[in-house]
Amino acid sequence: MLYYYIRMAVFSLKRTPLLSFLMIATISIGIAATMVTYTVSYMMTKDPIPSKSERLFTVHLSSWDPSRMYKMEDGKEQIPIWVTYQDAMNLYNEKKGKRQTIIGSHKTMSRAPSQPPSGALSTLLRATTYEFFDMFEVPFLYGSGWTESDDEQGARVVVLSKKRNMKLFNGRNSVGEEVLIGGLLYRVVGVLDDWVVLPRFYLESHDVFMDVRDMFIPFRSNIDNEWIAASDVSMYCWGDFEMNKFSSMLTSECVWLYFWVELEASTQRDAYFDFVNNYAMEQRALGRFQREQMNRVLNVPEFIKHNKVVTGDSRLAVWLALAFLIACLLNCMSLMMTKFHGKGAEIGLRRAVGASKEDIAWQFGCETILIGLLGGVVGLLLANLGLIITAEIYSHLNPALMAMNIELMLTTLVSSVIASSLFGLYPIYRACQIQPSSQLKSL
């Protein structure tokens, strides 16, 4: 019987091609607009590292100027999301977690030794420790990260991104090759594979949707080279120090480094937080940390929320898209009522020869489902086209942010069918109320 109703639905769509086209187009446009907006919002907020997001924590210390607060936000005093060099090193050397890492950044010129100086490229470096790659489950195409010994010695070794390896070595296995970074020779120990982490949770909000950095070097090497690019580093300072003297900056109260720790289990969080607070009290006894202590230990989801990765504008855009979808569905419902009312004579004849209201409901129900399915397929194509255009417009963002996964594709189709079916209930109900006698008189 279901096959019969599906055939009737197909035949009905063919008999009224203009109305059918308008209904499918209306649904598809509404679905496409909604899914483009929702896809971007979903990719912004999804768990970037689900296997351990509850065990990775960033540490924020209340080390700011006792005479003035760092900043006020949402009516509350805030503390920096970065730590000073001395605090990063102190926490790191305690080794209280399963793994811990310091993350900094730098920007300089780099090239392969075989390339002329004119071929040097501006390069974004990520200075970090050897644990970074295992902590954040970084995939490798060739080689691996450096060793603990390389960290301690400040060895001149480098891990290249896949994109930078393509530019320098045409994508071949470059492990063992050398790269000139800031005029110094570094040996390649690894090349990253495609590493799509959205959002790139371990950074501040304006970096979380960017591509992975071009190169990774040991943090100690970065310090030994006295590399720090003011144009690339978020650095906030207070107190007395000499900005032009690197050693003075290292002992200053300038915050500019991220500190992350991985614990064996999320249940160890309270114990680690106690360690952080005890450390803060030790520093307070030494004359530092004189403000009210508001130290934080945030896991990945908490830091994403605190970092305000998704703004109010993004949420508003999703609600506006949903409102537009509802408007489209109301228009589609109006078209359905027009179409079903125009089939009153057919309904009357079918009722006269024994069809029940349930039979009529099944017939038109199959038609609304078919309209929703076709609208979903077209909407899926339009949504992907919209995401491609969006990726071109926002080319500075990671293109994976504007790409649907299988889950979102299925959501698009299912949402279209459900929406069409729900907004088709009233037209179906009205069609079922048509009296056979009133229609047969007009035949």
Side-chain angles (χ1 to χ4, degrees):
M1 200 65 176
L2 181 61
Y3 176 69
Y4 170 74
Y5 291 135
I6 294 174
R7 285 186 59 192
M8 290 282 289
V10 173
F11 180 70
S12 176
L13 291 178
K14 289 180 178 179
R15 283 188 61 188
T16 54
L18 180 59
L19 273 176
S20 300
F21 170 77
L22 289 175
M23 286 188 288
I24 293 170
T26 302
I27 290 178
S28 62
I29 292 172
I31 285 290
T34 303
M35 291 310 298
V36 166
T37 311
Y38 178 74
T39 296
V40 175
S41 178
Y42 172 82
M43 297 303 286
M44 282 181 172
T45 56
K46 72 183 184 71
D47 191 339
I49 185 166
S51 61
K52 55 171 67 175
S53 62
E54 298 295 330
R55 295 189 291 112
L56 289 173
F57 299 89
T58 182
V59 177
H60 304 159
L61 298 172
S62 188
S63 61
W64 199 248
D65 186 351
S67 63
R68 60 185 176 91
M69 70 176 65
Y70 170 63
K71 68 176 180 180
M72 180 73 75
E73 193 173 275
D74 299 330
K76 297 180 181 178
E77 180 180 350
Q78 295 295 321
I79 61 175
I81 64 173
W82 308 271
V83 296
T84 66
Y85 172 79
Q86 53 185 323
D87 291 325
M89 293 305 301
N90 289 341
L91 293 174
Y92 182 78
N93 290 330
E94 287 290 339
K95 304 290 185 183
K96 290 294 184 177
K98 177 182 179 181
R99 299 185 183 96
Q100 41 273 308
T101 189
I102 303 169
I103 306 173
S105 58
H106 184 58
K107 181 167 62 177
T108 188
M109 303 299 289
S110 70
R111 62 183 174 90
S114 59
Q115 294 176 320
S118 60
L121 300 170
S122 178
T123 301
L124 296 173
L125 300 177
R126 184 66 67 200
T128 186
T129 62
Y130 77 99
E131 298 101 326
F132 176 92
F133 304 102
D134 286 334
M135 275 183 68
F136 299 145
E137 300 180 344
V138 182
F140 279 84
L141 185 62
Y142 305 117
S144 62
W146 54 84
T147 65
E148 182 177 5
S149 176
D150 290 332
D151 256 348
E152 294 171 351
Q153 298 171 18
R156 291 179 181 172
V157 293
V158 61
V159 170
L160 304 179
S161 69
K162 185 177 181 180
K163 185 183 294 185
R164 185 47 57 102
N165 186 60
M166 180 64 69
K167 290 181 178 179
L168 292 176
F169 301 104
N170 294 319
R172 63 182 170 83
N173 187 347
S174 59
V175 173
E177 300 283 354
E178 292 184 323
V179 179
L180 273 167
I181 305 175
L184 302 174
L185 277 175
Y186 276 71
R187 176 173 52 87
V188 178
V189 295
V191 177
L192 300 186
D193 203 346
D194 293 320
W195 185 31
V196 181
V197 179
L198 292 175
R200 203 166 292 282
F201 59 90
Y202 52 85
L203 304 170
E204 58 192 302
S205 56
H206 64 75
D207 278 335
V208 295
F209 299 119
M210 301 297 183
D211 285 336
V212 64
R213 291 238 161 173
D214 302 313
M215 297 180 181
F216 293 75
I217 62 172
F219 179 68
R220 173 51 55 190
S221 173
N222 189 79
I223 297 299
D224 291 344
N225 296 336
E226 298 189 0
W227 281 348
I228 184 166
S231 61
D232 184 55
V233 177
S234 294
M235 179 180 287
Y236 299 89
C237 303
W238 67 274
D240 298 325
F241 72 99
E242 298 179 49
M243 187 65 186
N244 296 325
K245 190 175 181 181
F246 193 79
S247 59
S248 177
M249 189 205 66
L250 296 184
T251 58
S252 72
E253 295 296 340
C254 293
V255 292
W256 55 289
L257 297 169
Y258 302 96
F259 186 83
W260 282 83
V261 62
E262 178 185 349
L263 302 180
E264 290 281 0
S266 58
T267 54
Q268 297 178 347
R269 174 182 186 157
D270 290 342
Y272 191 83
F273 188 46
D274 288 341
F275 156 70
V276 169
N277 284 329
N278 289 335
Y279 168 78
M281 294 308 296
E282 291 173 4
Q283 295 301 308
R284 190 182 185 93
L286 296 174
R288 302 176 66 218
F289 290 42
Q290 295 302 303
R291 290 195 71 81
E292 177 188 353
Q293 291 303 291
M294 297 179 290
N295 310 307
R296 290 191 299 252
V297 174
L298 304 180
N299 62 26
V300 173
E302 290 168 345
F303 183 55
I304 290 174
K305 183 178 179 180
H306 176 79
N307 220 3
K308 296 186 176 179
V309 169
V310 180
T311 63
D313 291 342
S314 299
R315 296 188 184 92
L316 178 61
V318 174
W319 284 110
L320 289 175
L322 285 172
F324 177 69
L325 174 60
I326 291 173
C328 289
L329 290 170
L330 288 171
N331 284 325
C332 186
M333 183 173 73
S334 178
L335 292 170
M336 285 181 187
M337 291 186 67
T338 300
K339 180 174 182 177
F340 294 168
H341 185 267
K343 300 180 73 172
E346 177 187 332
I347 295 170
L349 183 59
R350 287 202 63 204
R351 291 291 309 280
V353 296
S356 64
K357 290 184 178 181
E358 288 75 13
D359 293 325
I360 302 299
W362 271 105
Q363 176 187 340
F364 291 115
C366 287
E367 189 167 342
T368 58
I369 291 173
L370 185 58
I371 291 169
L373 182 60
L374 293 173
V377 171
V378 177
L380 184 59
L381 296 175
L382 292 176
N384 279 284
L385 177 61
L387 289 169
I388 292 172
I389 295 172
T390 304
E392 289 294 326
I393 295 173
Y394 298 98
S395 56
H396 62 288
L397 298 178
N398 193 314
L401 187 64
M402 278 75 74
M404 279 190 173
N405 55 26
I406 296 298
E407 181 182 346
L408 287 172
M409 290 181 182
L410 292 175
T411 300
T412 301
L413 296 175
V414 172
S415 298
S416 181
V417 171
I418 292 175
S420 175
S421 300
L422 288 176
F423 279 78
L425 289 176
Y426 184 66
I428 292 172
Y429 170 77
R430 291 294 301 272
C432 291
Q433 301 309 308
I434 294 176
Q435 296 299 317
S437 57
S438 62
Q439 296 299 320
L440 291 176
K441 290 178 183 178
S442 63
L443 291 178

